[in-house]
Amino acid sequence: MTFKELNISEPILQALKEKKYENPTPIQEKAIPVALKNRDIIGIAQTGTGKTAAFAIPIIQLLTEEATDNKHNIKALILTPTRELAIQIDECFSDYAKHTSLRHTVIFGGVNQNPQVRQIKQGTDILIATPGRLLDLINQGFIHLNNIKHFILDEADRMLDMGFIHDIKRILPLLPKERHTMLFSATMPSSIAELSRKMLNKPTRVEVAPASSVVDTIKQSLFMIEKPEKSKLLLDLLQQEGIKSTLVFSRTKHGADKIAKILNKNGIQCDAIHGNKSQNARQGALEKFKNKQIKALVATDIAARGIDIDELSHVINFEMPNIPETYVHRIGRTGRAGHEGKAISFCDAEERAYLKDIEKLIDKSIPVVKDHPY
């Protein structure tokens, strides 16, 4: 199937063509026709499946068709958990809406609000926001949600993990009751199911891969190793020629800094990103990584949620995640857009229980590498 067969308007098709996107991903193929009919959606899709375009494309098209005046008041709201994710969604709207007259703005905390407020005052049709900054600007009277026609809650499971449920409950009553709503989540725990019942009206469920599934383009491997030897193994692996760009996962902020320090000390240029870093430092590190100025990026799970790099060759779990679904999210950063990727995990004696839970979730054993010096 092609994008043209999904009845997408010419300005958007032109933008997609310029991005060299010809065929929709399964989530796009299923969600776009439903969304174009203004029907509510529950979208279950793992990381890297192209779900941003699955909601961005229909929103752009519907807003273009609905435009009866030139007033740029906020008609679509996309709520997302992290600054990095908000920025990336905003970049997608820049790509897909470039041949329309629609305006979009991204707002998030941790930076001066004045430039964001200026942009909102100049008029915007689409607002991409993190919950805290959105509520701040609503309370200050800079944002009103009474013209919202389309509302998207993205990464709903991560929203709840990060404690944003109370913010969401404060935002929902401020939205018009008559609206088009889409909720996207990688997993569907009971808390999300309950939230969807309150938010959505006769939703269509769109599901492409269960949260436990790992894309076929990712080759997984496992090193059973004692904790003190992990740094040596990481250095050995990163010095191999085939490893071009690597995202290394740590469970803690302190751990991420420590790993980055060891790598830099041994001549492997890298940066760490986590919640204690300033927004500018995080964006700077991401840009350097995308531009291949550094070989490795060490991240905590929450900081990495917004990382979207098509040609990421390797993901390394320096520490096994204690939540099995997190493993699927982590390794889903590689093997994107048809590229092959490798996911390597280090497991020490204390982490074997986590490994057992992960293998139960993905319903397969991760191949163990036995031939290594540690």
Side-chain angles (χ1 to χ4, degrees):
M1 177 172 271
T2 63
F3 279 111
K4 197 166 189 176
E5 290 173 86
L6 293 178
N7 296 320
I8 292 167
S9 61
E10 198 50 51
I12 302 170
L13 284 176
Q14 180 60 34
L16 293 170
K17 193 177 172 185
E18 286 164 23
K19 290 291 291 178
K20 297 189 168 54
Y21 295 164
E22 291 172 16
N23 307 105
T25 66
I27 188 76
Q28 292 161 8
E29 197 175 308
K30 290 182 179 182
I32 289 171
V34 178
L36 285 173
K37 290 176 185 165
N38 257 312
R39 278 158 54 189
D40 286 7
I41 287 175
I42 292 178
I44 314 294
Q46 68 190 81
T47 298
T49 52
K51 65 181 162 60
T52 303
F55 62 75
I57 289 170
I59 283 176
I60 294 164
Q61 182 152 328
L62 290 167
L63 287 181
T64 308
E65 289 167 358
E66 289 160 7
T68 51
D69 54 43
N70 292 324
K71 285 181 185 172
H72 294 286
N73 47 32
I74 302 164
K75 302 173 193 77
L77 171 66
I78 296 96
L79 206 57
T80 193
T82 68
R83 320 176 233 210
E84 287 81 11
L85 205 52
I87 289 164
Q88 290 194 333
I89 293 169
D90 187 57
E91 286 170 359
C92 290
F93 275 97
S94 293
D95 290 335
Y96 310 143
K98 65 193 291 190
H99 300 301
T100 74
S101 59
L102 295 174
R103 296 181 189 172
H104 53 94
T105 301
V106 60
I107 63 169
F108 45 81
V111 295
N112 188 315
Q113 71 173 38
N114 294 338
Q116 298 174 0
V117 169
R118 270 198 301 277
Q119 212 172 337
I120 289 161
K121 283 181 175 176
Q122 286 165 8
T124 193
D125 302 283
I126 300 158
L127 184 67
I128 301 110
T130 54
R133 178 53 58 96
L134 176 64
L135 283 167
D136 281 349
L137 297 188
I138 288 171
N139 292 337
Q140 292 174 55
F142 293 121
I143 289 175
H144 304 280
L145 303 180
N146 46 328
N147 290 308
I148 296 288
K149 293 181 177 178
H150 308 277
F151 173 54
I152 289 87
L153 185 66
D154 191 29
E155 302 272 1
D157 52 351
R158 182 58 56 155
M159 267 305 181
L160 268 62
D161 287 348
M162 292 173 70
F164 286 130
I165 186 65
H166 301 297
D167 287 349
I168 292 165
K169 284 179 176 173
R170 286 168 66 196
I171 292 162
L172 286 176
L174 305 176
L175 297 166
K177 279 193 166 55
E178 292 290 314
R179 62 170 192 266
H180 175 215
T181 306
M182 294 185 260
L183 179 151
F184 286 87
S185 187
T187 57
M188 189 49 71
S190 56
S191 52
I192 301 288
E194 188 188 331
L195 183 66
S196 68
R197 281 193 289 275
K198 291 175 185 170
M199 278 178 55
L200 302 159
N201 177 32
K202 296 177 185 168
T204 300
R205 187 178 172 116
V206 175
E207 189 166 357
V208 291
S212 59
S213 72
V214 172
V215 289
D216 297 335
T217 50
I218 303 171
K219 186 181 175 185
Q220 301 173 72
S221 60
L222 180 70
F223 287 83
M224 305 304 289
I225 184 167
E226 289 313 311
K227 195 182 282 185
E229 308 295 329
K230 286 186 176 185
S231 299
K232 295 175 196 169
L233 177 59
L234 181 63
L235 283 167
D236 281 358
L237 290 174
L238 290 178
Q239 280 155 352
Q240 291 174 9
E241 274 184 41
I243 297 192
K244 296 184 185 76
S245 60
T246 307
L247 184 56
V248 181
F249 278 99
S250 162
R251 271 202 308 270
T252 66
K253 299 167 189 174
H254 171 70
D257 285 333
K258 194 175 168 185
I259 296 162
K261 196 174 177 181
I262 291 166
L263 293 180
N264 281 312
K265 193 178 170 184
N266 285 274
I268 294 166
Q269 288 186 303
C270 82
D271 264 328
I273 60 166
H274 51 67
N276 286 356
K277 298 262 181 175
S278 72
Q279 176 61 19
N280 288 342
R282 284 157 77 167
Q283 277 309 114
L286 262 178
E287 286 307 311
K288 280 196 281 182
F289 190 53
K290 283 181 180 179
N291 298 332
K292 300 197 167 42
Q293 291 168 266
I294 54 175
K295 187 173 183 174
L297 192 64
V298 189
T300 53
D301 292 304
I302 287 174
R305 192 66 179 238
I307 296 173
D308 189 6
I309 298 161
D310 283 348
E311 294 180 41
L312 178 65
S313 68
H314 287 71
V315 165
I316 296 178
N317 291 308
F318 188 85
E319 293 159 323
M320 300 299 285
N322 54 353
I323 299 165
E325 285 86 0
T326 301
Y327 176 82
V328 178
H329 290 311
R330 283 184 181 185
I331 75 170
R333 300 283 149 209
T334 187
R336 289 180 172 225
H339 296 286
E340 286 192 353
K342 289 185 179 174
I344 301 166
S345 300
F346 300 171
C347 182
D348 64 43
E350 292 173 14
E351 296 172 317
R352 288 187 185 188
Y354 303 154
L355 173 63
K356 196 177 171 185
D357 290 343
I358 289 163
E359 291 183 330
K360 186 180 173 187
L361 178 76
I362 65 173
D363 198 25
K364 62 170 79 169
S365 296
I366 303 168
V368 176
V369 178
K370 290 187 173 138
D371 183 22
H372 68 88
Y374 307 107

